[in-house]
Amino acid sequence: MDIKLIAIDMDGTTIRMDQTLPVKNRAAIEKAIEKGIYVVPTTGRMRGEIPPEVMEIEGIRYMITSNGASVLDREK
């Protein structure tokens, strides 16, 4: 079975409490994207509250925000 999508939690999991993205986490996200896996930040936050370090990662197309109330396609 091939992995097609990884949904990643933000607060206290992917990003630190100080809102920074650890180098290891960024590298893992970028590696997954290079393999053709959709990496989907999933958070209770609204889109505008996602840290810039996450938003600037090339290849993140979809996001689930607002406690699942909003699914965004950044290419539309």
Side-chain angles (χ1 to χ4, degrees), residues 9-67:
D9 180 52
M10 294 277 89
D11 295 310
T13 306
T14 302
I15 58 173
R16 295 183 185 115
M17 297 307 286
D18 66 359
Q19 306 304 303
T20 59
L21 179 64
V23 173
K24 281 182 150 182
N25 291 1
R26 184 181 184 118
I29 291 167
E30 290 172 340
K31 186 174 181 180
I33 291 169
E34 286 173 14
K35 290 183 176 187
I37 299 169
Y38 288 106
V39 177
V40 181
T42 306
T43 182
R45 298 168 179 238
M46 293 185 301
R47 179 183 181 173
E49 297 174 336
I50 296 174
E53 285 183 278
V54 174
M55 296 296 290
E56 69 188 22
I57 297 174
E58 292 292 324
I60 291 183
R61 178 173 176 177
Y62 302 103
M63 297 186 301
I64 300 171
T65 63
S66 303
N67 286 321

